[in-house]
Amino acid sequence: MSLDFDMGARAGELRARLRELITAELPERFPGAFTDDPDDLAAAQRFCRVLAEQDLLCMSWPQEFGGAAASVWEQTVVREEMWAHHEPRGAQYMGVNWVGPIIMRHGTEEQQRRHLPPIAAGEVIWCQGFSEPESGSDLASLRTTARRDGADGWVINGQKIWTSYATMAQWCFLLVRTTKIGEGAVTRKQQGLSIFLVPMDDPAITVRPLGTMMGPHHLNEVFFDDLRVTDADLLGELDAGWSIVADVMAFERVGIARYARCERLLAAAPNALGARWDDLPGELTARWVRMLTHCRRARLMAYRVVALQAGGRITPGDAAAYRIAVTRLDQESAEVLMELAAEAPDEPSAQWFRAEVDDHWRYSQAATVSSGSIEMQRILLSRALLAAPR
């Protein structure tokens, strides 16, 4: 497989178009949707609708589901430009990148008709109900349960934690245990798990925000107390949720183009520092160059994974290798950028650089934990390497 950074003229035109829209539709120096100011979330929601109206939100989705049937490379350009500019889609990227595609793969026709049009129109926010207080990296050990109640009903009880966007989401992609280990044919903890699509406005659901340095909306506790659902809310086959989780992880772990923001901020550093750039210690500028090189490495790895995913050949090891590289880049580049920002002059022209670097540093601290810790990624990669033909 031969890969490089050239996606062709159409990709360049799309990139320029997206940047023009960001400039025209968003406030200057947009800080992202997840601040204490509700106007920032409102701006992100408006921007999503603009993208949807111009067939830019779900470009690679099939037309019958509200997409534009564009190539995965055009969708990759969208991911890069969005993440590089503080993800102006807000929490919508979750629905676009993996909730929608997973419902396309595993949902019933009714579920597809109900959920896909609002995602494609930029009108709905989803959250993910996976991790629990004692079930993070070992997700299959979760304790939230769904028990039969009537012919087609279920009652869900339990708790989720670290649930991003739960305070603003309308729907939750919820993983629960439907059959205990030892019951029927369920002999392993990865068996007997199922996924339900549940509305977050149900009074049986309670959300409690968790304060962090990343700001509001990112982390929450979610409690389910006798939440009633039906078979119509079940995604895929009963007790077969773990195979869907594997699909989710493959999509989720390549869905955020973290390298794009790192590269944008690193490239902006010389202009932000101005005359002070030439006086920096040689060791610091050498690390800056190294981080730019690592950005290009992560980008190339991302493109390889995108190509494999498009061909239906992606494995957990492929996604894990990229995830390790890009999350380490996120944190290592943040450290270099913080040192560079400390050298920036105390002038209005450099204030935006310091503010964006600060935001990038705070957000990067969770990069090696969220969506599967880096330790778990290393385990997945080592298993793939050990299982490879020799």
Side-chain angles (χ1 to χ4, degrees), residues 138-206:
D138 185 16
L139 182 58
S141 65
L142 61 82
R143 297 180 180 181
T144 298
T145 60
R147 292 287 173 254
R148 272 291 184 191
D149 184 50
D152 69 342
W154 297 85
V155 177
I156 296 175
N157 283 282
Q159 176 189 358
K160 298 293 178 177
I161 200 168
W162 318 130
T163 307
S164 298
Y165 322 127
T167 54
M168 61 176 68
Q170 289 85 42
W171 287 88
C172 181
F173 193 96
L174 181 63
L175 180 67
V176 301
R177 179 161 295 284
T178 42
T179 302
K180 292 180 179 179
I181 301 171
E183 291 182 352
V186 175
T187 58
R188 299 168 57 242
K189 60 185 176 182
Q190 289 81 5
Q191 299 171 323
L193 300 173
S194 301
I195 290 171
F196 287 91
L197 309 177
V198 302
M200 289 295 290
D201 62 355
D202 192 295
I205 300 176
T206 302

Side-chain angles (χ1 to χ4, degrees), residues 25 37 62 85 89 138 143 157 221 280 284 343 356 373:
E25 300 292 338
D37 188 345
H85 294 88
R89 296 173 299 180
D138 185 16
R143 297 180 180 181
N157 283 282
E221 294 178 293
L280 291 178
L284 181 54
E343 299 293 334
E356 291 205 22
S373 69

Side-chain angles (χ1 to χ4, degrees), residues 175-375:
L175 180 67
V176 301
R177 179 161 295 284
T178 42
T179 302
K180 292 180 179 179
I181 301 171
E183 291 182 352
V186 175
T187 58
R188 299 168 57 242
K189 60 185 176 182
Q190 289 81 5
Q191 299 171 323
L193 300 173
S194 301
I195 290 171
F196 287 91
L197 309 177
V198 302
M200 289 295 290
D201 62 355
D202 192 295
I205 300 176
T206 302
V207 178
R208 295 179 185 171
L210 296 171
T212 72
M213 65 182 178
M214 292 192 296
H217 309 300
H218 282 287
L219 300 178
N220 305 274
E221 294 178 293
V222 185
F223 299 87
F224 303 90
D225 298 298
D226 291 337
L227 172 66
R228 296 186 176 277
V229 295
T230 70
D231 286 339
D233 303 308
L234 175 69
L235 182 69
E237 298 295 324
L238 180 65
D239 289 343
W242 194 250
S243 62
I244 299 178
V245 169
D247 268 1
V248 169
M249 295 305 180
F251 276 101
E252 184 181 28
R253 288 170 181 165
V254 300
I256 298 178
R258 291 177 178 271
Y259 55 85
R261 184 179 299 175
C262 298
E263 189 167 5
R264 173 173 169 262
L265 291 175
L266 288 164
N271 284 337
L273 268 66
R276 294 191 182 183
W277 181 260
D278 293 333
D279 297 326
L280 291 178
E283 182 271 342
L284 181 54
T285 54
R287 288 165 58 206
W288 172 78
V289 171
R290 187 181 304 119
M291 287 302 101
L292 283 170
T293 303
H294 288 183
C295 284
R296 285 153 177 76
R297 178 183 66 181
R299 182 187 294 270
L300 190 57
M301 292 180 72
Y303 290 177
R304 179 180 181 274
V305 171
V306 169
L308 290 170
Q309 194 175 61
R313 303 191 305 278
I314 190 173
T315 68
D318 297 318
Y322 164 68
R323 180 79 181 175
I324 292 168
V326 79
T327 53
R328 288 192 61 189
L329 167 67
D330 224 24
Q331 293 183 346
E332 292 170 3
S333 68
E335 295 299 328
V336 173
L337 284 163
M338 286 291 279
E339 292 185 44
L340 291 171
E343 299 293 334
D346 189 18
E347 299 173 0
S349 59
Q351 287 179 359
W352 70 269
F353 179 72
R354 289 197 297 271
E356 291 205 22
V357 167
D358 178 72
D359 180 75
H360 173 61
W361 184 89
R362 286 186 289 109
Y363 199 87
S364 73
Q365 301 311 297
T368 52
V369 177
S370 60
S371 302
S373 69
I374 195 169
E375 290 80 11

Side-chain angles (χ1 to χ4, degrees), residues 39-103:
D39 288 343
D40 292 328
L41 175 60
Q45 294 296 90
R46 287 194 303 271
F47 186 68
C48 279
R49 289 191 287 272
V50 170
L51 291 177
E53 290 166 1
Q54 299 190 27
D55 292 328
L56 295 171
L57 185 62
C58 302
M59 289 193 70
S60 63
W61 284 23
Q63 290 179 327
E64 62 265 33
F65 295 132
S71 72
V72 294
W73 300 110
E74 290 172 288
Q75 189 68 52
T76 298
V77 170
V78 175
R79 290 174 180 172
E80 290 176 347
E81 291 304 312
M82 295 300 104
W83 195 252
H85 294 88
H86 282 281
E87 188 49 84
R89 296 173 299 180
Q92 295 282 355
Y93 75 87
M94 188 178 290
V96 172
N97 286 352
W98 67 263
V99 174
I102 292 297
I103 292 176

